[in-house]
Amino acid sequence: MENTNVHRRVKDNSGVYRFSSDSMKEDEKKSSRDDLHGSFSKPPRPLPVQQGGRVKDMAFWVAVILSQVFGLLCIALVIRWCQMYEGFGWEDPKQQFYYHPLLMVLGLVFCYGDAIIIYRVLSFMPKWILKIIHATLHIFAILCSSIALAAMLENHRRTNKADFYSLHSWIGIATFGMFGLQYLGSFVTFMLPWVPNVWRARIMPFHTFFGVGLFVLAVATAEMGLTEKLIWTDNYTTNKYVPKAVVGNSLGLCLVVFAFLIVFITTHAAYKRRPLPEELPAMSTN
């Protein structure tokens, strides 16, 4: 016997009467069942971060490698740039000054930048080891910048120059002072065992924000000092591409790229370190 569709007069939500067939209802039910089954049969796409903080995203490792390449290139260029002037030496006040740009770039730029990203790059290591590496890189940055500041002040004393009269020096000493306070407060908060975990969790956002902010400020100060030195020489008065200006401008570009990569790695949410399995009971601690 041939199947027939039974049409019924039904009232929809808007109050209008329409004709519907049983076969149409069966098709709608079958379609809904298929959609429901399909939603469970297709698993969601896995995240690029595995448990324990291991990152598979290729962009992350490209950024990390490029950051180290440009960071080392900054150090090589600042050494070459200083040698194109008087070079290095502690006896001659002219040579003594060039420890200032070298150690500032080495400490408050390169080591500081690496200290910021160490938790994400070496995320497979236990957190207590990362804390020690993080703190050690900051100590090295403080030592380098302190010697650099002493070299500049001693140079000014021996050459009868005034101290802290330029915008570069004002922002530089402010950055150095805030960096020291940031390290002291962070050491007390995150390294001493008797600080409550609740306090650490509340301070962590400020610690992260001011850490990245001071790093950017340190790079900006280095750019100002670099430009200031080039203006004082004949690099901007000869209307020529003199070698000192070419190396100095190249150093400035590398500093910008290095800072951009460090900030990208630090602020990308997908690259944040995840606790290792043995650290899960202490997820709220830093």
Side-chain angles (χ1 to χ4, degrees):
M1 184 176 178
E2 185 178 354
N3 294 330
T4 59
N5 296 331
V6 179
H7 296 272
R8 291 188 176 90
R9 188 168 177 242
V10 295
K11 186 177 182 181
D12 59 9
N13 296 330
S14 61
V16 179
Y17 286 92
R18 302 180 184 277
F19 288 97
S20 64
S21 63
D22 293 342
S23 60
M24 292 174 61
K25 292 183 178 180
E26 292 297 329
D27 292 338
E28 292 176 358
K29 292 180 181 180
K30 182 179 179 181
S31 177
S32 62
R33 287 195 300 267
D34 293 340
D35 294 339
L36 183 62
H37 181 268
S39 62
F40 286 105
S41 61
K42 297 179 181 179
R45 184 179 179 182
L47 295 174
V49 183
Q50 291 181 341
Q51 187 178 14
R54 300 191 179 217
V55 182
K56 289 184 176 180
D57 191 353
M58 184 62 66
F60 172 81
W61 294 112
V62 171
V64 170
I65 294 173
L66 287 178
S67 68
Q68 299 310 292
V69 170
F70 278 95
L72 295 175
L73 190 57
C74 288
I75 297 175
L77 285 174
V78 73
I79 292 175
R80 176 56 183 160
W81 185 66
C82 293
Q83 289 176 341
M84 295 176 73
Y85 286 91
E86 283 80 12
F88 302 99
W90 202 261
E91 299 297 329
D92 188 350
K94 293 182 179 180
Q95 293 181 327
Q96 186 182 41
F97 170 80
Y98 292 98
Y99 285 111
H100 178 75
L102 171 61
L103 294 177
M104 282 297 185
V105 171
L106 178 61
L108 279 185
V109 177
F110 182 71
C111 290
Y112 191 8
D114 279 1
I116 293 176
I117 65 174
I118 197 68
Y119 277 95
R120 302 191 174 204
V121 176
L122 302 180
S123 58
F124 56 88
M125 300 181 66
K127 178 168 279 191
W128 68 271
I129 295 180
L130 295 176
K131 279 187 177 183
I132 295 176
I133 299 175
H134 184 73
T136 302
L137 286 173
H138 277 84
I139 291 175
F140 189 73
I142 292 176
L143 291 176
C144 288
S145 56
S146 298
I147 298 174
L149 184 61
M152 182 271 296
L153 293 175
E154 182 66 13
N155 169 266
H156 287 186
R157 184 188 66 82
R158 297 173 67 181
T159 57
N160 297 320
K161 293 181 180 179
D163 298 325
F164 307 115
Y165 57 89
S166 65
L167 180 62
H168 162 71
S169 62
W170 285 19
I171 297 181
I173 195 64
T175 303
F176 177 78
M178 288 188 291
F179 177 75
L181 293 176
Q182 163 90 346
Y183 180 80
L184 181 61
S186 301
F187 184 86
V188 172
T189 303
F190 299 111
M191 297 297 290
L192 300 183
W194 55 77
V195 177
N197 295 332
V198 177
W199 290 10
R200 294 180 178 181
R202 291 177 179 177
I203 295 175
M204 175 58 69
F206 299 96
H207 173 74
T208 304
F209 172 79
F210 283 104
V212 177
L214 288 175
F215 169 74
V216 174
L217 196 58
V219 175
T221 306
E223 296 284 4
M224 286 188 290
L226 182 63
T227 303
E228 186 178 293
K229 179 62 178 177
L230 290 174
I231 290 177
W232 281 348
T233 60
D234 59 353
N235 297 314
Y236 285 92
T237 59
T238 59
N239 295 324
K240 297 179 181 179
Y241 278 108
V242 295
K244 293 178 183 179
V246 174
V247 176
N249 292 343
S250 300
L251 171 59
L253 290 175
C254 289
L255 287 171
V256 171
V257 175
F258 177 73
F260 178 84
L261 292 170
I262 294 297
V263 173
F264 169 74
I265 297 171
T266 307
T267 58
H268 202 297
Y271 304 151
K272 185 177 180 180
R273 181 184 184 272
R274 293 191 176 185
L276 299 175
E278 58 272 17
E279 297 171 350
L280 290 177
M283 287 180 61
S284 60
T285 61
N286 181 46

